[in-house]
Amino acid sequence: MTQAAAGRASFTTVAEGVHRVSEAFVNFYLVESADGLTLVDSGLPAMWKSLEESVRGLGHAIGDIRAVVLTHAHFDHLGLAHRLHMEFKVPVWVHGGDSFIARHPYRYQHEKSRFVFALAHPGGFPVLASMTKAGALRVKGVDDLTLFPAQSGSLPVPGQPEVVFSPGHTAGHCGLYLRDRDVLFSGDALVTLDPYSGRTGPRIVAGAATMDSRQNLDTLTQLAETGASLVLPGHGEPWTGGIGEAVAAARREAAS
């Protein structure tokens, strides 16, 4: 079990100016640019100390975070957004399709009963227990949101990530592509650890947390079209084999 898996935070530079913070089986990322930092997703409430230490280790302060950009608004991606917005006036960016969830983190669609699925898949217990300890049951929503523009393209935040609309896990799920660094943040559209089953390797998240698994699998095509070499998921280890191989593996897994 890794440090992050055991509940202790790990900080890793995974690409030029891209840093992964992992704790309680949840990842979020810091993107450095000349005009400040972008936080891609924001973990869970107990990860504030890990965020502070990571930012300080890069020679920055929390006030240098110019934006929180959410791949989607589930509670384990929204955890620090409320505090950053209220205390530091950091704008919180999200696709309009996930604006309701961002305001109401525990009211989201999923195909299967979370309770029944958890009982049938005890391999997910350590993951869910760690997430609960890190504050999964006390995430605050964000009312004042900045919505992604309707047109495709990059966001006006440090690193200028390109939005890759990839619904299915949620209605407004988006990947974020750093074209100049060949890095794709896949959020929970494609992970290398399913928190609900504990299974590893490229896959979609179980129906206990996914709105529409079929749509999720279909829209992996949009992620694959980026051609990104490095894939950074919301849960699990970075995938260095390229997004095409990851998507193929996820589709095979779903069919097995």
Side-chain angles (χ1 to χ4, degrees), residues 143-160:
D143 290 326
D144 181 19
L145 299 165
T146 304
L147 300 184
F148 293 174
Q151 69 276 16
S152 60
S154 60
L155 299 178
V157 302
Q160 297 186 315

Side-chain angles (χ1 to χ4, degrees), residues 82-132:
H82 182 273
R83 184 171 179 180
L84 285 164
H85 183 65
M86 297 302 292
E87 295 185 17
F88 296 90
K89 310 303 179 188
V90 180
V92 178
W93 290 77
V94 70
H95 188 278
D98 269 24
S99 58
F100 180 82
I101 306 174
R103 296 182 174 102
H104 309 280
Y106 302 104
R107 296 170 63 183
Y108 59 89
Q109 293 177 282
H110 46 93
E111 294 172 325
K112 299 178 181 180
S113 164
R114 287 167 287 190
F115 178 73
V116 172
F117 189 90
L119 289 178
H121 297 82
F125 284 170
V127 181
L128 299 177
S130 291
M131 290 170 62
T132 300

Side-chain angles (χ1 to χ4, degrees), residues 10-26:
S10 68
F11 175 85
T12 311
T13 297
V14 290
E16 182 180 356
V18 181
H19 313 279
R20 171 179 177 251
V21 183
S22 185
E23 184 175 355
F25 301 94
V26 174

Side-chain angles (χ1 to χ4, degrees), residues 45-245:
M47 299 176 186
W48 183 263
K49 181 179 179 182
S50 298
L51 175 63
E52 284 187 314
E53 291 177 349
S54 299
V55 168
R56 187 165 57 248
L58 294 172
H60 289 277
I62 293 292
D64 294 330
I65 299 175
R66 306 297 183 215
V68 175
V69 181
L70 302 175
T71 58
H72 65 296
H74 279 167
F75 58 85
D76 53 328
H77 296 253
L78 189 68
L80 301 177
H82 182 273
R83 184 171 179 180
L84 285 164
H85 183 65
M86 297 302 292
E87 295 185 17
F88 296 90
K89 310 303 179 188
V90 180
V92 178
W93 290 77
V94 70
H95 188 278
D98 269 24
S99 58
F100 180 82
I101 306 174
R103 296 182 174 102
H104 309 280
Y106 302 104
R107 296 170 63 183
Y108 59 89
Q109 293 177 282
H110 46 93
E111 294 172 325
K112 299 178 181 180
S113 164
R114 287 167 287 190
F115 178 73
V116 172
F117 189 90
L119 289 178
H121 297 82
F125 284 170
V127 181
L128 299 177
S130 291
M131 290 170 62
T132 300
K133 187 176 180 180
L137 302 181
R138 51 185 175 87
V139 174
K140 295 182 179 180
V142 179
D143 290 326
D144 181 19
L145 299 165
T146 304
L147 300 184
F148 293 174
Q151 69 276 16
S152 60
S154 60
L155 299 178
V157 302
Q160 297 186 315
E162 297 177 27
V163 175
V164 184
F165 187 49
S166 45
H169 184 66
T170 63
H173 189 288
C174 294
L176 299 166
Y177 181 41
L178 301 179
R179 184 175 297 273
D180 62 337
R181 309 185 206 195
D182 199 21
V183 170
L184 175 68
F185 302 101
S186 61
D188 282 5
L190 187 150
V191 296
T192 56
L193 167 69
D194 177 6
Y196 285 83
S197 68
R199 299 174 70 184
T200 59
R203 63 190 63 246
I204 66 172
V205 174
T210 293
M211 180 190 74
D212 185 332
S213 294
R214 176 49 54 190
Q215 184 184 36
N216 190 161
L217 287 167
D218 288 345
T219 60
L220 292 180
T221 298
Q222 284 88 283
L223 299 182
E225 286 174 350
T226 67
S229 298
L230 177 62
V231 183
L232 301 177
H235 305 276
E237 296 298 314
W239 177 263
T240 59
I243 183 59
E245 183 179 330

